[in-house]
Amino acid sequence: APAAAAPAADAGPPEGGPAATKVRVEDWPASDDFLLREAVEAGAALGAIARGILPFSQPRTREEITARWRALLYDASVALPAARRMAQYALDAKPRVAPLPTGEEFRAQFAAFAKRASSGAANAGGGEVDSSGKDLVVNEKKEQEDVSNDRGVGPTVPLPPFADAEAAVFHMPPLPSAAQMDRGASRRARLALAASLRKIRRLEASAQAATARAASARDAVGVLQGSNKTFYLKKRETALGRSTDDQKVDVDLSEEGNATKVSRQQAFVKLRWNGEFCLRNVGRRPVWINGVAVESGQRARLASHALIEVGGMRLLFFPNPAAVRAADPEPF
């Protein structure tokens, strides 16, 4: 394979030196590319690979290894075809790539080796331990079985092959480019949202004006709007509760729904001298105004659009400003 100057792979050839030879896909077989990629991803340095730790199809210099790895990373004419060749090679040849040992497995293997070394030294030349460490290579499979048995685990479940993950990445849809993105979509969405909010505000204002006109037609100073019934407050002080044969109230909540949890006189809504409305609870159970409980004997101010909850029913309060202004002020 032609050699390339690794340090100048990205920046071009140095001054006065020869131009770097272009790296081609067919310069290396797929098996060598596969071994190089797996070794680097496992943490091996290019210098260590150049010292011959990998069984390449032929000896490789450090410059060749560095140039090839740079091409696999940065050269578009090499990276994609080489990745496809490696994926096909992994499917056809099914090479076995041993996973890196974990810290626990390494400690267990080191302890087993030290144990055998000490036992061999005690035998005084029994021939069980070789200074070159060949017994560790010969009995590697037996040691792994012993370690697995000592740890009480079964055979290691193989990880999914890298080729499958790589093929899944290749089949993923790419992200849209800047030319494919609609830059005006977000602006149109903001404009549509602003138009919707303006429409909602106009509808709310129209509904409030329509409620005020209906209240003025009935000479009511306020309105309690329920889900099934609309109650018009025609007096300065209006009683809310549950009507019986013996006692009637101005606002009979049994017309709105199930009023079994409402007292016969539950509350009074009163228009004060300063034009404000207040609610006084005289029933046994609390009345909730905008999520705040008003206990029996307490009173609270009623603002426009206040939500009143009593006996499991919900009523929305609307004042009628025109009728409130026309009402005679109450003496102190």
Side-chain angles (χ1 to χ4, degrees):
D10 294 336
E15 292 185 4
T21 305
K22 180 175 178 60
V23 178
R24 300 177 301 174
V25 179
E26 57 272 13
D27 291 343
W28 283 42
S31 58
D32 288 3
D33 285 338
F34 181 83
L35 288 173
L36 176 61
R37 184 189 65 184
E38 295 297 322
V40 174
E41 290 181 350
L46 296 181
I49 297 175
R51 288 195 292 270
I53 64 173
L54 295 181
F56 286 134
S57 60
Q58 64 184 46
R60 305 286 185 183
T61 64
R62 179 166 183 168
E63 290 75 14
E64 291 176 338
I65 294 173
T66 304
R68 188 65 178 185
W69 181 245
R70 286 178 176 269
L72 292 177
L73 289 180
Y74 306 117
D75 193 344
S77 62
V78 176
L80 186 57
R84 290 173 177 168
R85 288 201 318 163
M86 286 187 283
Q88 189 62 38
Y89 168 76
L91 294 176
D92 297 341
K94 294 181 174 58
R96 181 181 180 275
V97 180
L100 294 177
T102 61
E104 184 179 355
E105 293 173 347
F106 177 78
R107 286 193 295 269
Q109 292 178 6
F110 182 80
F113 174 74
K115 182 178 179 181
R116 284 201 332 277
S118 60
S119 62
N123 291 335
E128 294 182 8
V129 179
D130 191 321
S131 59
S132 62
K134 293 181 179 180
D135 59 335
L136 181 61
V137 178
V138 173
N139 298 325
E140 180 181 359
K141 183 176 181 180
K142 182 177 181 301
E143 290 172 6
Q144 293 177 353
E145 294 176 355
D146 294 340
V147 171
S148 299
N149 294 333
D150 293 340
R151 296 171 57 189
V153 298
T156 305
V157 179
L159 295 175
F162 185 85
D164 294 347
E166 195 172 40
V169 172
F170 287 152
H171 286 82
M172 290 176 60
L175 295 176
S177 62
Q180 295 173 331
M181 295 179 63
D182 188 359
R183 300 182 182 276
S186 58
R187 182 174 180 274
R188 289 194 296 270
R190 290 195 300 269
L191 294 177
L193 176 61
S196 299
L197 293 177
R198 288 194 299 269
K199 185 176 181 180
I200 291 174
R201 285 193 290 268
R202 288 196 299 268
L203 290 174
E204 289 178 345
S206 300
Q208 187 173 359
T211 303
R213 286 195 297 270
S216 299
R218 293 170 174 81
D219 295 328
V221 295
V223 178
L224 287 176
Q225 181 65 55
S227 300
N228 304 315
K229 180 72 174 178
T230 302
F231 302 97
Y232 294 96
L233 312 181
K234 300 181 179 181
K235 298 190 295 185
R236 297 188 64 93
E237 188 171 19
T238 304
L240 281 70
R242 174 171 49 86
S243 293
T244 62
D245 295 337
D246 300 332
Q247 185 177 7
K248 302 295 183 180
V249 291
D250 300 319
V251 175
D252 185 6
L253 295 178
S254 60
E255 299 179 8
E256 169 64 18
N258 185 6
T260 55
K261 296 182 180 181
V262 178
S263 301
R264 285 177 294 180
Q265 277 196 346
Q266 181 66 55
F268 287 92
V269 176
K270 184 177 181 180
L271 173 61
R272 302 181 63 191
W273 61 272
N274 56 359
E276 293 183 351
F277 286 85
C278 68
L279 183 143
R280 178 166 57 94
N281 185 10
V282 296
R284 292 178 298 174
R285 294 183 175 87
V287 176
W288 299 79
I289 299 178
N290 292 334
V292 179
V294 180
E295 301 292 340
S296 179
Q298 296 180 349
R299 67 181 64 196
R301 177 176 173 270
L302 275 181
S304 178
H305 297 79
L307 179 62
I308 304 173
E309 299 178 72
V310 52
M313 292 176 285
R314 294 184 175 185
L315 304 169
L316 200 59
F317 173 71
F318 296 97
N320 183 11
V324 170
R325 288 192 297 268
D328 294 332
E330 185 184 40
F332 288 96

